[in-house]
Amino acid sequence: MLAQNHLSQRGSVYQWRRRVRSQSTGIIDIKLSLGTTDRRVAAILARKISAESDHLMDQINSNSITPAEARAWLGEVIRRERQKIEQLQMLRRIESDDPADDARHDEAMRDAWQHLAQAGLNGRIPDGTQDLVRSNIEILRQDLTSESRRNIVARDFRNLTGRERVSAFELMTLMTLLISGKKAAWAGYETALQPIDTLADEIARQAPSALIGSEPRPTPPAKTALEAPPSQSLPASTPSAKDPTISAVIERMILLKRREGIEEKTLQQYRSFGKLFILLTGIADIRDVLQSDATSFRASLRKLPKSWGKSPADQTATREEVMARAAALRPDQVGLSVGTINRHLEHLGQIVASAADEGIPVDPRLNPAKLRRKDPVRDSDKRDAFTPVQLERIFRGPVWSGSESEYYQTRPGPTTYHNGLYWCPLIGAVTGARREEIAGLAPNDIVTVDGIPCFSIAASDQRRVKTLSSQRVVPIHSRLIELGFLDYVARIRAKGHPDLFPDLREPTSGQHGRKLGRRMRQVIDETLGAEGAALSFHSLRHYVQNALERAKIDDKIIRDIVGHEGRDVHDKVYHKPVPPDIMQPAIESLTLAI
């Protein structure tokens, strides 16, 4: 039923093979593993390769294209055609509401490629042609005749063959191959693409095509012009010194950024982004990413559950499972925030730029920054700041006035437990330091400078800092000392523990801030109820910023306390950190109602 020339099986896997005797005494033998056990998928790929090979064999005989180049080009055809089928299948499963309409569009695309292959790019469109077919022809014409498309085809062929240039005649030949191959692939979609789910899933499980070929084998000892010299022998994959997969590009980029002192949390975000991008687009090679893929990725982010990434199950979920989960949620629980979407687009832009810097060919029209959306909510409105009254209510709660037990520290009781949950919010309220900066303190980070006890916030084995300006020395508020903070530090030092707040370290990840964030959320909810819905540990940082501004503290001193960068080049380059004795009055202006 699916008879196909040059298609055969080797074991359970299909392969394509063609042997042709050239005009000399050599034999050209090209074999390609199709990497699939599904005959329908093999028929699609074989039909496309056979159509391409008719032209390639002519070019080989005229010595315009070598056998090695032919194998590389055909291998690239297989790789891209598999990806196209997979993406088409994915879009149908997720986006389509009308399979019959999908089939109508497929048929129109098939007819459009058929027309272009027979009549050429400038051939007259026959009267009576359906509007959808006519529209597809016009769109394809615009793309195929554009300078950018021809540049991409020439670039891809140079990358595959290692040639320095492609002649006008060779470019015309490659464009002809492209059209004939597209026509051949679409010609059999009605039979070969059913069932499409099964085909695309099978393709996704297969590794990239293993390209096996041989150079022309002349019968006489002397080499003929048809035999490609060793220097032109090409491997199956694109001959690039760098791995072009998105995950590999990210790992190399992370190495560079780690040397620049970027915090580990940010570096992990790049890895998470890479996994999410591959999950939502099905694209694993940075060379294959187009602007339309970035647009589709942005659209998919708006369909994700807002809680995405918080459950361990998200790490192994398929796209279908993710979207099915989102479909069962309320509308207000679906769609990542504009800020998060923009951050993902920024990550994509950095990865694309990193690949380009490494010499990996990326689409020159790919510009994720164009897809950024303006956030309708101001940064200052995204998180509330504590008011003095709210903080007074918080610090009158069980954690600071007496708890039932250390496990049930938010329940009223007779004992006050001086642990991380007790000290960290107090420190945050008189320093404005970030959650991870406080929770990740070590005993040795409590220092004395010019006789003033201080917090030394700097990168260490315990934790990294957000930026270089985040490294700072901040005086310890006198009220903390009155409450016994320095005595607590001495006890922890005597125990030899590396953490100042060992109860806040996550047992599996080793991180410090998350547990503090969860416990603070519990404290806020139980103390303030709905009034504290927009508050978090980070709201202490906003409280300190506001309180220092109201106290008319110099802006440079405020930036040094909270660890913000300077506002201009002068501040960033020439401003030196304020010493603790100048900073101390500003710290003491903050009241601690406990």
Side-chain angles (χ1 to χ4, degrees), residues 287-520:
R287 299 170 300 178
D288 297 332
V289 181
L290 306 177
Q291 186 72 1
S292 58
D293 300 316
T295 302
S296 298
F297 173 66
R298 184 186 66 177
S300 297
L301 293 176
R302 299 176 68 180
K303 299 177 183 179
L304 284 180
K306 288 187 175 182
S307 61
W308 167 257
K310 296 182 179 179
S311 169
D314 292 338
Q315 305 304 316
T316 57
T318 64
R319 172 169 177 149
E320 292 81 357
E321 292 170 344
V322 173
M323 294 303 177
R325 188 191 315 161
L329 297 174
R330 299 193 312 269
D332 63 316
Q333 296 177 319
V334 176
L336 302 186
S337 68
V338 173
T340 301
I341 291 175
N342 286 343
R343 188 184 74 239
H344 282 306
L345 293 172
E346 181 181 348
H347 288 344
L348 178 58
Q350 292 184 49
I351 293 163
V352 170
S354 180
D357 290 343
E358 293 179 329
I360 297 174
V362 296
D363 192 319
R365 296 173 296 179
L366 178 57
N367 185 3
K370 286 185 176 181
L371 302 175
R372 290 176 59 89
R373 293 286 181 87
K374 185 176 181 180
D375 198 335
V377 181
R378 296 180 302 175
D379 288 341
S380 59
D381 295 335
K382 290 179 181 178
R383 285 194 181 97
D384 283 353
F386 282 106
T387 66
V389 174
Q390 288 172 333
L391 273 187
E392 185 175 353
R393 289 170 59 189
I394 289 288
F395 292 138
R396 285 205 306 260
V399 173
W400 295 274
S401 61
S403 306
E404 177 181 318
S405 67
E406 189 167 13
Y407 184 81
Y408 295 111
Q409 203 168 347
T410 59
R411 297 180 183 178
T415 307
T416 301
Y417 297 90
H418 293 76
N419 54 15
L421 182 58
Y422 175 92
W423 289 114
C424 288
L426 295 176
I427 296 172
V430 291
T431 63
R434 299 175 180 91
R435 185 183 70 186
E436 289 79 3
E437 292 173 342
I438 301 174
L441 285 170
N444 292 336
D445 290 328
I446 309 304
V447 299
T448 300
V449 179
D450 297 332
I452 301 173
C454 298
F455 297 103
S456 174
I457 300 173
S460 68
D461 293 338
Q462 299 296 98
R463 46 97 174 93
R464 295 178 179 267
V465 293
K466 189 171 185 178
T467 63
L468 292 177
S469 61
S470 299
Q471 302 192 83
R472 59 202 189 277
V473 175
V474 180
I476 298 175
H477 197 285
S478 59
R479 181 58 178 145
L480 290 178
I481 297 175
E482 292 172 2
L483 292 171
F485 178 69
L486 295 182
D487 295 333
Y488 169 83
V489 173
R491 290 196 299 273
I492 295 296
R493 276 196 182 127
K495 294 179 180 179
H497 203 289
D499 298 325
L500 185 57
F501 307 113
D503 58 302
L504 296 180
R505 178 187 282 270
E506 292 277 0
T508 53
S509 66
Q511 296 179 343
H512 301 81
R514 290 185 178 180
K515 188 173 182 180
L516 174 59
R518 292 194 300 269
R519 298 303 302 275
M520 189 64 179

Side-chain angles (χ1 to χ4, degrees), residues 520-540:
M520 189 64 179
R521 177 78 266 153
Q522 184 183 8
V523 170
I524 294 172
D525 290 343
E526 294 184 8
T527 305
L528 302 178
E531 179 186 341
L535 296 170
S536 67
F537 192 95
H538 199 79
S539 299
L540 293 169

Side-chain angles (χ1 to χ4, degrees), residues 535-570:
L535 296 170
S536 67
F537 192 95
H538 199 79
S539 299
L540 293 169
R541 184 170 173 83
H542 290 271
Y543 161 76
V544 169
Q545 179 88 20
N546 293 342
L548 293 175
E549 289 175 354
R550 285 195 296 268
K552 307 298 184 182
I553 303 298
D554 184 270
D555 186 60
K556 291 184 174 62
I557 296 177
I558 296 177
R559 289 204 302 272
D560 284 347
I561 290 174
V562 299
H564 281 159
E565 288 187 349
R567 294 183 176 178
D568 52 36
V569 174
H570 182 274

Side-chain angles (χ1 to χ4, degrees), residues 21-27 217-220 222 224 226:
R21 184 175 295 278
S22 67
Q23 294 175 356
S24 68
T25 55
I27 295 177
R217 296 175 296 174
T219 51
T224 68
L226 293 173

